[in-house]
Amino acid sequence: SGDSAPLNEAMAVLQHHDAVSGTSKQHVANDYARQLAAGWEPCEVLLSNALARLSGSKEEFTFCRNLNTSQCPLSQTSKSFQVTVYNPLGRKVNWMVRLPVSKHMFLVKDPSGAVVPSDVVTMPSSDIQELLFSASVPALGFSIYSVTQVPGRSPRADRPEPRFQKSLSWIKSSSRVRPS
Amino acid sequence: SRVLTIQNEYISASFDPDTGLLVEMKNLEQDLLLPVRQAFYWYNASTGNTLSSQASGAYIFRPSRQTPLFISRWAQTRLVKTALVQEVHQNFSAWCSQVVRLYPGQRHLELEWTVGPIPVGDDWGKEVISRFDTALETKGLFYTDSNGREILERRRDYRPTWKLNQTEPVAGNYYPVNTRIYITDGNMQLTVLTDRSQGGSSLSDGSIELMVHRRLLRDDDRGVGEPLLETSESGLWVRGRHLVLLDKARTAAVGHRLQAEKELLAPQLVLARGSGTPYHLE
């Protein structure tokens, strides 16, 4: 069973300025992080239960906690998966979903089964591919999109060339900024 | 070396072909153009001087000089342009980079910055800022929010309830920015929405700066008892976003308030492999 109380309590503790401003000793900061992580875990169960009840389908839901660094094992390894987008705002929103994926092409379908435009983009300076598609989500509701890998590799898998390259010797010798 | 531009139906952003820095922003819907240069700088943290032994630390922001130093005067840029996203990836140094992003239908420019690990091998504590410089005549005024609610007018070197003797020209003009900071000349308004609480200021007319990261080598002697010197992996890097809106002053609030709501209550993603079984409450 899920429980949101531990996260509630952790958030209450984290109202203290030490938790957000860097004014705590390191071991205290570590403890704040521990409380947040411990609080979030039973919340994931709670959310999974709620989504199962609302959607009428029980899934093994995955929460990608490291999307800010383009890490999501499920989307990066699965040939097909579902993306549930929940909108906590009291009005409809259109939102660009970004998920790290493997070097393939993907077909994205909206809740009605219609194909939506999508792109796989290679991030410069890395090997990471990200799948982009625009999701439309109703007020205080959710939409479920399905993503399926299709044959062929991503056409955008080539890395773009850098526009500017300058040498250190140039920086030392000139005050005017010019491309080499 | 042609000018690099990203544009959707509402916003256009141009980058200097020589430096790779953002130099101009346009609101195409309202026909507004604002030359704006954005770059990253760092303040050298004070370790105390003849006036005061106070060092910059966890509680105290006290730069040793009023002028911050460039992290880099130019950025190596890479452009990503597809039907669904346009991005300019700017690499300022080994420890500072940024992605300037536009999605279709978006009325703001998204700046996703990544800073860290801040090098301190030179024994200088560093406090890193992102600064936007424009020619807007702001008459010493800027605006920050208070806990995401009331917007308060801030005036440089001034306090509304007492006669201020300004002894810290930089830190003494820094204010909390919980969700947004903006400047206006009465006609045009430049607003920056933050994704977290940061310190911010406008130290000269037409300028906005926000502190994004800091790494210090001295304790400020205010009770923490240790310098703000993160050594674990998680705290060395910081990634965040600034959303930049250019609007007419009289209509700007609609834009930044709606967008701030969207940021605060952003959609949540949950993934599943899609081989679930029917679920009934009973």
Side-chain angles (χ1 to χ4, degrees):
Chain A
S1 62
D3 189 3
S4 63
L7 186 63
N8 267 341
E9 285 163 21
M11 289 298 287
V13 173
L14 264 70
Q15 297 297 306
H16 193 274
H17 68 85
D18 267 5
V20 288
S21 62
T23 51
S24 58
K25 281 182 182 286
Q26 190 58 52
H27 71 273
V28 178
N30 294 343
D31 190 56
Y32 286 135
R34 183 193 60 77
Q35 289 191 50
L36 270 183
W40 177 245
E41 213 162 299
C43 265
E44 286 189 349
V45 180
L46 193 74
L47 284 167
S48 297
N49 292 345
L51 284 171
R53 181 174 172 180
L54 292 168
S55 66
S57 173
K58 189 165 172 55
E59 309 277 358
E60 271 194 45
F61 290 108
T62 298
F63 298 78
C64 293
R65 298 182 185 183
N66 297 321
L67 275 181
N68 67 327
T69 55
S70 298
Q71 311 260 331
C72 180
L74 191 146
S75 65
Q76 285 172 301
T77 56
S78 296
K79 290 192 171 178
S80 73
F81 55 93
Q82 286 183 359
V83 183
T84 302
V85 190
Y86 172 70
N87 172 25
L89 202 57
R91 55 186 153 92
K92 177 191 164 190
V93 295
N94 292 313
W95 198 63
M96 193 64 76
V97 174
R98 293 184 77 122
L99 290 168
V101 289
S102 55
K103 287 182 181 171
H104 291 94
M105 289 162 73
F106 291 86
L107 190 70
V108 181
K109 290 184 179 175
D110 70 11
S112 67
V115 175
V116 297
S118 64
D119 253 330
V120 175
V121 178
T122 304
M123 291 300 105
S125 314
S126 76
D127 278 333
I128 293 169
Q129 322 279 311
E130 290 199 336
L131 171 70
L132 278 81
F133 65 90
S134 180
S136 177
V137 200
L140 294 166
F142 63 92
S143 299
I144 301 176
Y145 287 76
S146 71
V147 179
T148 312
Q149 188 181 307
V150 292
R153 288 174 73 84
S154 164
R156 282 178 235 281
D158 298 331
R159 284 189 186 181
E161 287 301 309
R163 270 181 72 93
F164 303 103
Q165 293 273 17
K166 296 186 181 71
S167 65
L168 197 60
S169 59
W170 171 83
I171 298 170
K172 285 175 182 167
S173 63
S174 170
S175 60
R176 187 162 174 270
V177 178
R178 292 167 61 96
S180 59
Chain B
S1 65
R2 64 197 166 84
V3 175
L4 185 61
T5 301
I6 54 175
Q7 178 176 329
N8 68 6
E9 59 269 52
Y10 301 114
I11 297 285
S12 155
S14 300
F15 298 80
D16 186 297
D18 286 344
T19 64
L21 301 182
L22 174 70
V23 286
E24 186 184 270
M25 199 172 157
K26 281 183 197 165
N27 180 326
L28 303 169
E29 203 178 13
Q30 300 182 22
D31 198 23
L32 300 174
L33 186 153
L34 183 69
V36 50
R37 195 173 85 149
Q38 184 267 340
F40 289 90
Y41 305 78
W42 62 277
Y43 287 106
N44 183 11
S46 176
T47 54
N49 58 13
T50 50
L51 292 174
S52 164
S53 60
Q54 179 66 62
S56 212
Y59 278 89
I60 304 291
F61 168 39
R62 188 174 188 233
S64 67
R65 289 188 213 101
Q66 288 186 41
T67 315
L69 301 162
F70 269 106
I71 286 180
S72 173
R73 290 176 187 274
W74 57 274
Q76 184 186 74
T77 57
R78 292 167 190 256
L79 178 68
V80 173
K81 259 192 186 184
T82 76
L84 294 182
V85 70
Q86 297 174 62
E87 294 178 342
V88 174
H89 292 241
Q90 299 172 303
N91 192 30
F92 293 90
S93 75
W95 53 278
C96 181
S97 62
Q98 181 171 254
V99 180
V100 184
R101 183 176 291 137
L102 260 185
Y103 292 122
Q106 186 174 281
R107 286 185 161 86
H108 62 269
L109 197 61
E110 179 179 322
L111 278 60
E112 187 178 56
W113 40 267
T114 305
V115 177
I118 298 174
V120 287
D122 51 12
D123 284 335
W124 287 354
K126 296 179 182 66
E127 321 208 35
V128 180
I129 60 162
S130 168
R131 195 173 81 190
F132 301 80
D133 291 306
T134 74
L136 288 178
E137 291 179 9
T138 52
K139 300 183 175 69
L141 298 177
F142 59 106
Y143 300 82
T144 64
D145 69 304
S146 176
N147 288 329
R149 297 188 283 263
E150 189 182 13
I151 302 283
L152 298 177
E153 180 187 282
R154 312 293 193 181
R155 183 188 297 267
R156 259 197 320 276
D157 300 328
Y158 176 80
R159 297 292 186 274
T161 52
W162 78 92
K163 192 173 185 312
L164 176 69
N165 173 28
Q166 183 62 274
T167 56
E168 292 289 341
V170 177
N173 283 308
Y174 257 68
Y175 287 92
V177 177
N178 297 121
T179 63
R180 72 206 75 182
I181 181 169
Y182 64 78
I183 52 172
T184 175
D185 64 356
N187 296 314
M188 222 186 283
Q189 179 170 319
L190 184 73
T191 309
V192 182
L193 292 175
T194 61
D195 63 348
R196 68 198 64 190
S197 294
Q198 292 177 325
S201 188
S202 172
L203 296 179
S204 59
D205 279 2
S207 172
I208 289 177
E209 64 183 66
L210 288 156
M211 187 177 292
V212 295
H213 198 8
R214 51 206 300 250
R215 193 174 188 192
L216 307 171
L217 301 168
R218 293 277 296 270
D219 176 40
D220 55 13
D221 204 20
R222 299 284 164 145
V224 188
E226 56 188 42
L228 193 61
L229 179 60
E230 185 69 57
T231 51
S232 68
E233 245 189 40
S234 57
L236 286 172
W237 284 268
V238 182
R239 174 169 290 171
R241 293 187 308 143
H242 289 151
L243 307 185
V244 185
L245 297 95
L246 175 66
D247 274 304
K248 285 180 180 163
R250 60 189 163 83
T251 56
V254 178
H256 69 70
R257 285 188 185 279
L258 289 174
Q259 188 55 43
E261 270 185 1
K262 225 173 154 181
E263 285 302 303
L264 181 70
L265 297 171
Q268 302 294 313
L269 285 186
V270 187
L271 272 61
R273 290 196 191 273
S275 53
T277 52
Y279 176 85
H280 302 290
L281 187 59
E282 58 272 18

